Amino acid sequence: MMLLILIYLFFILILLLMVAFLVLLERKVLGLVQIRKGPNIVGIYGIVQTVVDGVKLILKNLMVLVNVRKFFFLLAPILSFILSLINWFFIPTPFILVNSEYGILITLVISSLLVYSTLWAGWGSN
């Protein structure tokens, strides 16, 4: 059981590193397309830029306006995040997380529920 958890954690770490390097590659390509320098200021060749962006996102102040529906305004991003994480359980990977023959159907259902979080975010912000 412990070995299985370590394999999952290793798999998640590899996925996160792949996403970080894909973001770096995207920024470099967009820098070339827009004829400007890409992210090369933070760290060696801009490798740390994605980590700095994540820290900046976490440390940002939460601003809640006076005339918003606070319940929907705060619940919408949380619901979106939780549904996106649940959706990963049913996507086929080398290590099956949930063995279900209805995996594609469940993925479509959860993806369609993500629309409600977008609607709630818009409705909650007035």
Side-chain angles (χ1 to χ4, degrees):
M1 184 67 184
M2 188 66 171
L3 180 64
L4 190 62
I5 292 173
L6 287 175
I7 290 173
Y8 286 146
L9 289 177
F10 181 72
F11 185 67
I12 290 172
L13 179 69
I14 296 296
L15 278 177
L16 288 175
L17 286 173
M18 285 174 37
V19 167
F21 281 112
L22 285 174
V23 168
L24 178 66
L25 178 71
E26 176 191 17
R27 289 182 178 186
K28 292 283 188 180
V29 168
L30 287 176
L32 287 172
V33 169
Q34 297 170 359
I35 310 173
R36 63 174 175 81
K37 291 184 179 178
N40 57 358
I41 296 172
V42 182
I44 302 170
Y45 301 111
I47 293 175
V48 190
Q49 182 69 45
T50 305
V51 176
V52 171
D53 287 341
V55 170
K56 182 182 79 170
L57 180 68
I58 290 171
L59 296 178
K60 277 189 166 185
N61 293 334
L62 177 65
M63 291 177 43
V64 179
L65 302 174
V66 177
N67 58 350
V68 298
R69 294 176 179 93
K70 287 184 176 66
F71 178 73
F72 293 110
F73 188 75
L74 296 174
L75 182 70
I78 294 169
L79 179 70
S80 176
F81 180 71
I82 290 173
L83 287 175
S84 297
L85 283 180
I86 291 172
N87 212 2
W88 276 96
F89 286 120
F90 299 101
I91 294 176
T93 57
F95 309 104
I96 298 173
L97 295 174
V98 175
N99 192 5
S100 174
E101 56 189 50
Y102 301 112
I104 295 174
L105 182 64
I106 294 172
T107 301
L108 289 173
V109 168
I110 292 172
S111 298
S112 65
L113 288 175
L114 283 168
V115 174
Y116 289 111
S117 65
T118 306
L119 290 173
W120 287 355
W123 190 56
S125 66
N126 242 350

